[in-house]
Amino acid sequence: MSSRYLVLPMGEAAGISPELIIKALNDEKRRAFGRVIVVGDKMLFRKVSKDLDIPLPFTSFVESDEELVSSIAAGEETIFYNLRCIDLEKFRYGQLSADTGLACYAVTAKAVNLIQNSYGSVLVTPPLDARSLAMAGVETTNYESMISTFAECSRGMAMLDAGGVKIFSHTHHMSLRESLETIRFELILDTIIKVDSLTQDKSVFDLDKPLAIASANPIHADTLEYEKEELEAIMPAVAKAGEIGINIVGPVSADHLMHRASKGLYRAVIALFHDQAHIAAMSLDFEHTVTVNWGWPFLAVRVDRGSMIERAGKGIMKPYSLVQALTVARKYISQGVIS
C-alpha cells in the first residue's frame, strides 16, 4: 500500500473550493503533484462539473476504506472518496448553511483519518468558511483547531511560503492591541526557539543562514533610539537566543526585513503581527502564497484564501493557489519531510 497520496477535504461546499479542486486536478501542471485522494460529496462535484462545464478529473470513486485500498493497489492517480453529506435540494452556490458547515467538518475529519491510517501522507486544504461551521454548532472553526482535535495533538505552527520566502508569525488572528500585549521577553524567546527547532530540516531551510525577527515599531539600521517593545522584549530575547546557540538577527524594520528575505538572506523570518506577515507575503507572491503547518504528526499545506462565496458557481476562479499548495506538498514529501 502506498502512502504517497496527497489528501484533500473538499472545504466549503458553497464556496469556491470544489471548483478549485476540479480545476487544479485538470491543470497542465497536474503531474507536478502526483497522486491525490479527494474526500467530498460525489453528487455535489458532479453538479459543479456539469454547471461549470469542467470535466471531472477522477480516475476512481470509492465509498469505503476497503474500496480505497483496492484503488490504491491498482495505482489509481486521482481517487474520490465519497461521503454523502450535502443535500442538493437545499444547496445553493454562495449560500452558507449548517449543512455545508457539517459537511466541511466531516470531510476534514475523514481526510485526517485517512492519513492517520497511512492511506495518504500530506493534508492539503482548500478554503473553508468559519461562518458555516459556526452555524453547524462546531466550536473548531478553522483547520488548525479542527486538525488538532482530530489528530489529538497540540496546535502546530503556521508558516507562510511566499514564492520561497518563509515567514512565521508570533501572533495569529488577534487584534493589534492584543498582539502588542504578547511582545514580552519570555513569549518572544519562546517563539524564536520554536521557529529555530522547526527550521532544522536542511532539505527545506538553508541552515547556513540566520533567522531574522521584525521590529514592532519602525526603526532604522543606524538608529540609537528604540521603543519599549524593542528595548524590553525583542532585543533581550534575540541576545538570549544567541547565548543558547540560535543564529538570529534583529530586530529588523519590517519593510527592510521582507525585502531582504526575498533576496535570500535568511533561513526564515519571524513577523510579530498577522498583517506584518500576510501583507508582505501577498505582496511578494499573491497567487502562489500557501500556508505550511509544522509540528503536527503529518505535514499540512493550506491555500491561504477565504471561501469567496460571492464568486462560487460562476466558473471564474483560477486554481493557481491550490496548484501551488499541491506542488509544495509534493515537493516537501519528495524531500523526505513528514511533519
Side-chain angles (χ1 to χ4, degrees), residues 112-331:
V112 171
N113 174 262
L114 292 180
I115 294 174
Q116 290 176 315
N117 285 289
S118 299
Y119 299 121
S121 297
V122 183
L123 186 73
V124 181
T125 56
L128 54 66
D129 197 297
R131 294 169 293 182
S132 67
L133 290 164
M135 290 177 188
V138 175
E139 293 182 2
T140 52
T141 55
N142 56 60
Y143 280 122
E144 286 84 355
S145 54
M146 274 199 289
I147 294 167
S148 295
T149 299
F150 301 147
E152 298 182 345
C153 62
S154 59
R155 294 184 64 148
M157 193 165 191
M159 180 195 81
L160 290 170
D161 186 320
V165 177
K166 299 171 175 64
I167 308 170
F168 291 86
S169 185
H170 176 63
T171 59
H172 298 275
H173 301 294
M174 64 175 63
S175 71
L176 183 58
R177 181 174 282 107
E178 291 176 308
S179 297
L180 284 171
E181 296 299 318
T182 74
I183 310 301
R184 305 203 306 266
F185 166 78
E186 67 276 11
L187 297 180
I188 293 292
L189 181 60
D190 182 61
T191 292
I192 292 172
I193 292 172
K194 285 180 180 177
V195 172
D196 182 64
S197 68
L198 292 171
T199 57
Q200 293 299 312
D201 191 324
K202 63 182 180 181
S203 65
V204 178
F205 302 97
D206 189 339
L207 302 186
D208 292 329
K209 295 177 180 177
L211 298 174
I213 188 168
S215 62
N217 301 286
I219 61 174
H220 297 286
D222 60 349
T223 189
L224 295 176
E225 297 180 1
Y226 294 92
E227 300 294 335
K228 175 181 177 181
E229 289 81 8
E230 283 74 33
L231 288 171
E232 297 182 5
I234 302 172
M235 294 170 71
V238 168
K240 184 64 177 179
E243 290 176 11
I244 61 177
I246 296 175
N247 186 10
I248 183 168
V249 297
V252 181
S253 188
D255 53 350
H256 291 184
L257 176 70
M258 299 306 177
H259 172 72
R260 293 173 183 174
S262 71
K263 300 299 182 184
L265 299 184
Y266 308 123
R267 183 195 336 164
V269 300
I270 302 171
L272 298 180
F273 315 119
H274 179 273
D275 280 359
Q276 209 177 45
H278 280 72
I279 291 173
M282 296 305 172
S283 298
L284 286 167
D285 198 341
F286 181 83
E287 292 180 338
H288 299 98
T289 292
V290 299
T291 297
V292 182
N293 281 92
W294 301 102
W296 282 332
F298 51 84
L299 187 65
V301 182
R302 185 176 81 244
V303 172
D304 204 65
R305 296 286 187 279
S307 63
M308 297 185 184
I309 58 171
E310 71 283 357
R311 299 188 180 186
K314 298 179 180 178
I316 60 176
M317 295 305 301
K318 302 295 184 183
Y320 304 133
S321 56
L322 183 54
V323 169
Q324 180 69 6
L326 290 161
T327 302
V328 168
R330 177 61 63 188
K331 175 184 176 182

